[in-house]
Amino acid sequence: MQADSAKEKNMRLRNIKGSREVIGSNRFVVQNPEEQHGKWKEVFGNQNPVQIEIGMGKGRFITELAIRNPEINYIGIEKYSSVLLRALEKREEVEVENLLFIRMDAEDIGSVFDEGEVDKIYLNFSDPWPKDRHAKRRLTSKEFFKRYDKILKKDGRVEFKTDNRPLFDFSLEEVVNAGWILEKHTFDLHNDVEMSEGNVMTEYEEKFSSIGNPINKLIAYR
């Protein structure tokens, strides 16, 4: 399982020539997003809730959410230009007004969103950073939960899915270490009637579940 996951993650690092130039001029990518700090509802032109996915990959998950929920504004965040380019290809195919993208490192998220500006945060199949010395880089580390605490509204949630059991076990512990509350969790999402209701699969989720890997999910709040 872990070998397959690592292979997929490595694919994300491949450079596609010209990807940064395309992203830099695309109407669906917010350039200099820190300039919109505290202004995201103005960016979308409405007062609808704002939900974000950090590390959105090729964008299948958040694009589907935007199609299903036109009353919610979505922002997909991705670090790698070559992967964001694939998400833009999907974005061009759908006619929705509630989906934008940002290319950035999640460590800087506090400079982009104001206190309480985000209603929900999605983390899907995040990089496991398997070495202990890199634990703070994991998107479910207590260090990142501190970042989420600053931008998430008071009753907001963080939802996390992965097929990586060691990462999930670590994440369960970090929720507590960060002083957050574990609302729900499952070690087998697709066989959990309650938590699988309305589930939108990512590319990784479809791939790994198709070969029998159970999908883990947690929901946390303060």
Side-chain angles (χ1 to χ4, degrees):
M1 179 186 71
Q2 303 309 322
D4 287 340
S5 298
K7 182 178 180 180
E8 289 291 332
K9 293 297 181 182
N10 287 336
M11 290 176 65
R12 299 175 61 169
L13 301 177
R14 294 180 181 174
N15 182 50
I16 297 177
K17 187 176 181 180
S19 58
R20 290 204 174 205
E21 288 75 14
V22 172
I23 290 168
S25 61
N26 190 280
R27 60 190 172 126
F28 298 123
V29 180
V30 179
Q31 313 298 330
N32 304 313
E34 63 278 356
E35 295 179 2
Q36 308 306 329
H37 185 273
K39 304 175 183 177
W40 287 102
K41 291 188 177 181
E42 296 177 22
V43 172
F44 283 100
N46 58 56
Q47 294 299 308
N48 293 340
V50 175
Q51 300 184 2
I52 66 176
E53 182 184 8
I54 301 176
M56 67 171 182
K58 298 177 183 177
R60 171 178 171 177
F61 175 84
I62 199 166
T63 300
E64 181 60 30
L65 284 183
I67 294 170
R68 293 188 185 187
N69 306 293
E71 75 286 357
I72 298 174
N73 298 322
Y74 293 97
I75 301 173
I77 297 170
E78 177 55 49
K79 180 178 180 179
Y80 300 111
S81 298
S82 57
V83 184
L84 177 53
L85 190 63
R86 298 307 185 200
L88 286 172
E89 292 172 356
K90 291 184 176 68
R91 180 66 180 85
E92 296 286 355
E93 297 173 357
V94 297
E95 295 183 4
V96 296
E97 303 295 328
N98 60 332
L99 176 60
L100 294 171
F101 299 139
I102 300 173
R103 191 190 72 79
M104 63 173 286
D105 192 309
E107 291 185 357
D108 301 323
I109 198 166
S111 66
V112 173
F113 298 99
D114 200 0
E115 181 178 349
E117 194 169 19
V118 176
D119 289 74
K120 184 180 288 188
I121 298 172
Y122 297 99
L123 310 171
N124 293 312
F125 297 83
S126 308
D127 194 326
W129 291 100
K131 295 182 179 180
D132 290 342
R133 68 176 184 272
H134 293 152
K136 67 171 66 174
R137 298 186 182 182
R138 299 168 190 161
L139 293 181
T140 51
S141 67
K142 61 181 182 292
E143 287 82 7
F144 268 97
F145 273 108
K146 289 179 182 178
R147 295 181 174 98
Y148 306 150
D149 181 56
K150 294 179 180 179
I151 68 172
L152 198 62
K153 73 174 186 177
K154 187 175 181 180
D155 60 347
R157 263 54 175 177
V158 171
E159 297 192 6
F160 171 57
K161 290 194 291 188
T162 183
D163 69 312
N164 187 310
R165 182 58 184 270
L167 176 60
F168 192 68
D169 290 342
F170 165 85
S171 303
L172 292 174
E173 294 178 359
E174 289 294 89
V175 167
V176 177
N177 292 338
W180 287 52
I181 299 169
L182 187 65
E183 180 176 8
K184 298 178 182 177
H185 75 283
T186 179
F187 298 104
D188 192 359
L189 175 62
H190 295 175
N191 287 309
D192 187 310
V193 176
E194 180 184 0
M195 291 194 69
S196 65
E197 183 177 357
N199 181 56
V200 175
M201 287 206 289
T202 73
E203 291 92 347
Y204 291 137
E205 184 174 354
E206 183 173 40
K207 174 182 174 62
F208 297 137
S209 62
S210 70
I211 59 176
N213 293 358
I215 306 301
N216 309 280
K217 180 176 180 177
L218 68 80
I219 302 174
Y221 68 100
R222 283 103 84 208

